[in-house]
Amino acid sequence: MLKLENKNAIVTGSARGIGKAIAMKLAEEGANVVIVDVNLEEAEKTSKEIQNMGRKSFAMKVNVADYNEVESLINKTKEELGSIDILVNNAGITKDNLILKMSVEDFEQVIDINLKGVYNGIKAVYPIMMRQKSGKIINIASIIGIIGNAGQANYSASKAGVIALTKTAAKELASRGVCVNAVAPGYIQTPMTDKLPDNIKEEMLKLIPMKRMGQPDDVAKVVLFLASSDSDYITGQTIVVDGGMVMY
C-alpha cells in the first residue's frame, strides 16, 4: 500500500535539484503534487513527469517572498485538489559573501526567500490545515543554520530562523493535529556543488564521517517519512541529513 495514497502535496522550489527529488518521491508513494518554482518551464517539465506516473499535478510560478502569490498558490491548490495535506517549504537561494563585503540587498533577499518564504507558506496554509485538523508541514533548513559558516551570514541566519519558526508553528498547530518539522541537509550532491573546485570538495569530505556527499534522494526519503503517517507523533523536530557531519 502506498504511504501517501490520495494525499495532496505542494513542494516549493521543486523544478529541479532537491525539491524535484522530494516531489518525485512523494508522487511515487501516491501523492498528487503541485510543482512550484520561479522557473516555470522547468516546473512544467517536472509536473509532466508526475502526471505520467498517474498522479494529478500542475505547475505554478511563485515568488515565495510575496505573500499574495503564496496565498494564490494555496487557494488554487485547494480549489483544484480539494485539500492540502502536505506542504514542503523547500525554495531557497544563496548569495554568499563575508559580512564586510555583503550588501544589505543580498542579506535581505536571502532572508526574504529562505525565511519569509517559509513563514508565508505556513501562514497561508494554516487555516486550511486547522479546519481539516490534519496536515504535515516540512521545512527545509540546513546544517549551516545550526553551525554557521564563514561567508554565509545571510544563509545561516535564514536557516536558523527556519528551525526556530518550525518549533513555534509546531507548538501552535499540534492541538489541531498538524505536524510541523524541519529537515537540515548537509553537503548534498547537486549541480551547484558539482561546480565546486576539487580541492574544496576534498576538504568538505574530510568533515563527513561517512566520507561521501549526500544525494537528493537521501533528503527526499526523510521528507517522505515526515509527510507520512509513520511520523504522526513527531513534531517540532529538526532531522539532520549529513552523513554524521554535525552531531548535537
Side-chain angles (χ1 to χ4, degrees):
M1 185 175 178
L2 299 176
K3 291 179 179 292
L4 303 178
E5 191 75 53
N6 299 319
K7 298 292 186 180
N8 300 316
I10 298 171
V11 184
T12 68
S14 53
R16 51 192 172 184
I18 293 173
K20 179 177 179 178
I22 291 169
M24 299 302 290
K25 183 66 67 178
L26 300 184
E28 285 171 12
E29 286 294 332
N32 304 311
V33 187
V34 180
I35 303 300
V36 181
D37 209 282
V38 291
N39 187 332
L40 184 58
E41 183 179 355
E42 289 297 317
E44 287 176 337
K45 290 178 182 177
T46 299
S47 180
K48 185 65 176 176
E49 288 183 47
I50 290 173
Q51 291 171 22
N52 290 339
M53 295 167 66
R55 315 291 180 231
K56 294 178 183 177
S57 180
F58 62 89
M60 278 189 71
K61 182 178 181 180
V62 175
N63 172 13
V64 296
D66 186 325
Y67 181 75
N68 290 330
E69 290 191 27
V70 175
E71 188 175 44
S72 295
L73 161 69
I74 297 299
N75 290 339
K76 182 177 180 181
T77 302
K78 182 73 165 62
E79 182 181 331
E80 294 280 332
L81 302 179
S83 68
I84 302 173
D85 306 293
I86 302 156
L87 170 64
V88 182
N89 289 305
N90 169 73
I93 63 167
T94 58
K95 289 206 166 183
D96 298 347
N97 217 328
L98 296 174
I99 293 172
L100 183 66
K101 298 179 179 179
M102 183 179 291
S103 69
V104 172
E105 291 77 16
D106 282 355
F107 184 87
E108 290 178 342
Q109 187 177 10
V110 171
I111 295 293
D112 279 350
I113 293 173
N114 294 9
L115 179 55
K116 184 184 174 187
V118 174
Y119 164 80
N120 286 342
I122 294 171
K123 181 176 175 63
V125 84
Y126 199 118
I128 292 173
M129 289 189 173
M130 278 185 67
R131 285 194 296 269
Q132 291 175 173
K133 294 186 177 180
S134 67
K136 299 296 183 79
I137 299 173
I138 300 112
N139 304 318
I140 306 303
S142 169
I143 59 167
I144 302 305
I146 299 170
I147 63 173
N149 196 33
Q152 290 191 300
N154 47 9
Y155 186 77
S156 62
S158 71
K159 294 303 187 177
V162 167
I163 291 170
L165 178 58
T166 297
K167 294 175 181 179
T168 295
K171 289 185 176 182
E172 291 186 12
L173 285 163
S175 65
R176 299 303 184 112
V178 179
C179 298
V180 187
N181 292 289
V183 178
Y187 291 116
I188 307 299
Q189 188 169 359
T190 63
M192 183 174 67
T193 57
D194 287 342
K195 294 176 184 176
L196 293 171
D198 288 341
N199 64 314
I200 298 296
K201 291 180 188 176
E202 289 171 8
E203 289 302 312
M204 289 165 55
L205 287 173
K206 289 178 183 178
L207 301 173
I208 303 171
M210 286 189 173
K211 300 303 177 188
R212 69 171 179 87
M213 295 180 71
Q215 298 297 317
D217 203 48
D218 292 320
V219 180
K221 289 173 184 176
V222 177
V223 173
L224 171 62
F225 166 70
L226 292 173
S228 75
S229 60
D230 292 342
S231 63
D232 281 351
Y233 198 56
I234 298 173
T235 197
Q237 304 304 308
T238 298
I239 300 179
V240 175
V241 183
D242 69 348
M245 181 178 170
V246 176
M247 301 183 190
Y248 69 105

